[in-house]
Amino acid sequence: MPTILMPLLTFGHALLQVQSFIDKKSSQFVFYIRGFWRDHIPYKELEMFLWDTLEEWSELKHTQSQLYTHKERIFWHLFHETQFVSATTLKTDKILKEEVAFCLEYLENEKAFPLDVVGMRP
């Protein structure tokens, strides 16, 4: 195989890894936030999920130059939003809760796309 094709194959593989990671973590994220809102999952568990996600992300082969999908942008936006608020705020702030719920709906069904979301990779 010509060596010029190797970087393209590596990049393509990394892209698939990122998409797979985002798909897997998105469904888990929906589960954890909704479980927290319903008092089925303690906030500490949600926090642990966030930290575990960061750890797994750090082990994933990717490049910052890879293009983002809408789903990935929404995932990282939601990730940062929930990581930097308290349990009380996440549960009671009406505006934040509506925004998070809209993002969760997209992560779950990929229907109505939140336009004002700009999530960035850590």
Side-chain angles (χ1 to χ4, degrees), residues 21 27 30 36 40-41 43 47 51 56 60 67 88 103 108 112 122:
F21 178 87
S27 62
V30 170
F36 169 69
H40 296 213
I41 295 175
Y43 186 69
E47 283 183 313
W51 284 110
E56 288 177 42
L60 191 71
L67 296 177
T88 303
C103 289
E108 221 173 17

Side-chain angles (χ1 to χ4, degrees), residues 25 28-29 31-33 35-36 39-53 79 87 90:
K25 290 298 176 181
Q28 293 173 351
F29 207 1
F31 171 81
Y32 274 94
I33 292 179
F36 169 69
D39 293 322
H40 296 213
I41 295 175
Y43 186 69
K44 282 285 182 202
E45 294 247 354
L46 175 58
E47 283 183 313
M48 288 194 40
F49 166 76
L50 294 172
W51 284 110
D52 288 346
T53 298
F79 184 89
L90 184 58

Side-chain angles (χ1 to χ4, degrees), residues 6-42:
M6 292 303 284
L8 292 175
L9 292 176
T10 303
F11 178 76
H13 180 64
L15 182 60
L16 288 175
Q17 284 184 326
V18 169
Q19 289 173 347
S20 176
F21 178 87
I22 295 300
D23 287 343
K24 176 183 158 194
K25 290 298 176 181
S26 290
S27 62
Q28 293 173 351
F29 207 1
V30 170
F31 171 81
Y32 274 94
I33 292 179
R34 290 209 172 123
F36 169 69
W37 281 345
R38 294 178 182 134
D39 293 322
H40 296 213
I41 295 175

Side-chain angles (χ1 to χ4, degrees), residues 52-101:
D52 288 346
T53 298
L54 274 179
E55 183 179 343
E56 288 177 42
W57 176 255
S58 72
E59 296 171 3
L60 191 71
K61 301 238 186 277
H62 66 284
T63 64
Q64 290 297 336
S65 63
Q66 285 175 254
L67 296 177
Y68 287 73
T69 62
H70 293 304
K71 189 172 188 176
E72 185 182 359
R73 284 202 179 275
I74 292 167
F75 175 84
W76 289 121
H77 173 79
L78 187 58
F79 184 89
H80 295 300
E81 284 284 303
T82 56
Q83 187 179 26
F84 295 111
V85 297
S86 69
T88 303
T89 302
L90 184 58
K91 196 169 264 196
T92 62
D93 184 303
K94 199 175 224 178
I95 293 170
L96 177 64
K97 205 168 174 183
E98 285 175 9
E99 178 186 339
V100 169

